[in-house]
Amino acid sequence: MAIRTIITDEDDILRKKSRVIDTFDLKLHQLLDDMCDTMRKADGVGLAAVQVGILKRVVIVEVDDVLYELVNPEIIERSGSQCDMEGCLSSPNVYGDIIRPENLTVTAQNRDGKVYTIKASGLLARAVCHEVDHLNGVLFKDHTDDLYTLEKREN
Ligand code: CO
């Protein structure tokens, strides 16, 4: 396990579309383990593989101390809406109020390729949407014209 470098949003790789995973090998397991270490060290709620320079459809999300490993995730159902402050480890110190669905149904594969489905709501739904966006080259700040720093907001 190792900490990898998080790429920031001046790098165009974050605009590229990630590729489907078809090999569930040790290399994938190591990537997932490293992503977990990297996300936790940075105090994040989620991380997409592209943020550590790997253009593969792999994301992790950790909410309420539950870690979700989502390989080839697909959001198959969305309902409701929520608006809350959102940021990204690739855009340090920049935040926006972003509208997301309140509830999602997501299918994904686990690290061994087994397909599973989760229902997500609230922060988990927000985090999954954010990370799946990364797989398609979309950043949270594309969803708002009003970005702010926390210092600015508190004043
Ligand atoms: Co992000």
Side-chain angles (χ1 to χ4, degrees):
M1 307 238 277
I3 306 291
R4 300 202 189 187
T5 302
I6 297 177
I7 290 168
T8 52
D9 56 17
E10 55 271 12
D11 192 320
D12 283 345
I13 192 173
L14 292 178
R15 293 304 186 177
K16 295 196 168 140
K17 205 171 147 123
S18 293
R19 289 182 294 272
V20 169
I21 288 266
D22 51 18
T23 309
F24 297 80
D25 56 4
L26 274 179
K27 206 173 158 196
L28 172 65
H29 296 181
Q30 189 169 44
L31 172 65
L32 283 160
D33 291 340
D34 288 357
M35 285 172 63
C36 182
D37 286 351
T38 304
M39 174 186 71
R40 286 178 177 163
K41 175 139 190 288
D43 245 341
V45 173
L47 193 70
V50 61
Q51 292 179 276
V52 293
I54 309 290
L55 277 167
K56 299 270 176 66
R57 301 187 83 79
V58 176
V59 311
I60 58 169
V61 172
E62 190 168 43
V63 172
D64 293 334
D65 295 325
V66 181
L67 178 69
Y68 300 87
E69 295 181 338
L70 302 153
V71 179
N72 302 323
E74 298 284 351
I75 298 170
I76 56 170
E77 221 172 82
R78 300 171 168 80
S79 68
S81 88
Q82 55 168 320
C83 184
D84 209 341
M85 188 179 87
E86 199 170 307
C88 178
L89 294 176
S90 293
S91 305
N93 203 28
V94 179
Y95 302 89
D97 295 329
I98 310 295
I99 298 168
R100 299 285 190 186
E102 175 63 28
N103 306 290
L104 301 177
T105 305
V106 186
T107 62
Q109 285 166 279
N110 71 8
R111 59 168 59 204
D112 298 311
K114 186 171 185 295
V115 177
Y116 69 102
T117 302
I118 57 166
K119 301 234 182 230
S121 59
L123 177 61
L124 181 59
R126 169 175 299 283
V128 169
C129 285
H130 178 116
E131 301 312 329
V132 170
D133 270 358
H134 273 301
L135 302 183
N136 299 314
V138 175
L139 298 175
F140 83 99
K141 50 188 200 174
D142 301 341
H143 297 298
T144 180
D145 294 325
D146 186 21
L147 293 167
Y148 52 82
T149 63
L150 284 186
E151 292 79 6
K152 186 180 153 205
R153 200 191 202 204
E154 279 154 14
N155 286 336

